[in-house]
Amino acid sequence: MELKIITKDYEPSLLLKNNVFDIWGEMIVKRNKEKWNYEIKKYGKKEVRKQTFPDENYSLKAINESGFAIGAFEDEKTIGLAVFKNQWNKYLYLEDLKVSVEYRRKGVASSLLKFAEEIAKEKKYKGFWTIGQSNNATACELYLKYGFEIGGLDTEVYNHTSQKGKQNIHFYYDFL
């Protein structure tokens, strides 16, 4: 696997399709005193469903104006993509992280994050932050396994949408 910053030569990598993933459970987040806690509520077999996010229409120019993107490649084939946005608070925002379905659970996402961490440190950032939807337990577990910590919970964001009841969990990762 090769990791690269997305430049004009690799702009087609921004078209990496979103693949289907299982909605198999929900991360339930609570705060006690000064500590965030969570549990994973697994769904029964009949409740498990598939979801695919809509594909993005990224522009390299727009990405580079507000941050950067990196790709993971296997024999010149794009197998993973991470898009980051600059922020004012010394945390670099992870806007998008995706890995082609046949390459999942093979370290691609972690490799993208490690590579991005080097770039972010050069840019004087102190960490990453991102959002995981509470019913995307796989993504939430990935962030926690990598070392992110829960830093907030938005319980209102989906109130006026078809996804009412879902929550956004805010994850933060401080560089050492």
Side-chain angles (χ1 to χ4, degrees):
M1 174 176 50
E2 190 174 359
L3 302 167
K4 301 175 188 176
I5 295 174
I6 304 298
T7 61
K8 193 74 172 155
D9 292 339
Y10 296 98
E11 190 169 9
S13 299
L14 297 175
L15 301 176
L16 182 65
K17 299 281 185 200
N18 288 317
N19 294 150
V20 67
F21 61 96
D22 287 333
I23 301 292
W24 55 265
E26 181 177 356
M27 183 171 277
I28 310 294
V29 175
K30 296 181 181 173
R31 186 167 173 91
N32 297 344
K33 297 186 181 177
E34 294 184 18
K35 184 171 169 51
W36 289 99
N37 298 294
Y38 72 93
E39 64 181 89
I40 301 288
K41 175 186 164 195
K42 291 185 179 182
Y43 298 152
K45 285 185 179 182
K46 292 182 180 180
E47 296 174 287
V48 173
R49 61 191 185 283
K50 305 273 187 203
Q51 182 173 334
T52 306
F53 290 127
D55 287 320
E56 300 80 14
N57 188 18
Y58 287 126
S59 153
L60 182 60
K61 182 178 185 278
I63 286 172
N64 287 340
E65 285 173 356
S66 63
F68 64 93
I70 57 176
F73 301 87
E74 186 79 29
D75 298 323
E76 296 300 314
K77 175 185 175 185
T78 308
I79 62 170
L81 179 70
V83 178
F84 294 87
K85 280 194 171 182
N86 297 323
Q87 300 286 284
W88 61 272
N89 61 359
K90 300 293 182 188
Y91 283 99
L92 186 63
Y93 178 61
L94 172 59
E95 180 180 21
D96 194 5
L97 178 63
K98 56 183 155 186
V99 175
S100 295
V101 69
E102 63 270 23
Y103 292 92
R104 291 184 183 158
R105 299 194 181 279
K106 295 182 179 180
V108 177
S110 293
S111 294
L112 285 164
L113 290 170
K114 283 184 192 328
F115 185 61
E117 187 172 336
E118 295 171 24
I119 297 166
K121 286 177 179 177
E122 289 173 10
K123 295 177 177 281
K124 307 293 186 218
Y125 280 97
K126 304 297 183 191
F128 296 137
W129 81 278
T130 195
I131 295 169
Q133 295 172 329
S134 59
N135 70 339
N136 189 349
T138 300
C140 293
E141 285 185 328
L142 167 85
Y143 297 133
L144 292 171
K145 182 178 177 185
Y146 188 81
F148 283 76
E149 295 181 3
I150 297 169
L153 180 66
D154 184 344
T155 62
E156 305 295 318
V157 67
Y158 296 104
N159 279 356
H160 302 291
T161 75
S162 62
Q163 299 182 65
K164 184 177 173 71
K166 188 188 323 182
Q167 302 169 343
N168 274 345
I169 303 166
H170 293 239
F171 294 93
Y172 291 84
Y173 175 78
D174 288 319
F175 304 151
L176 299 176

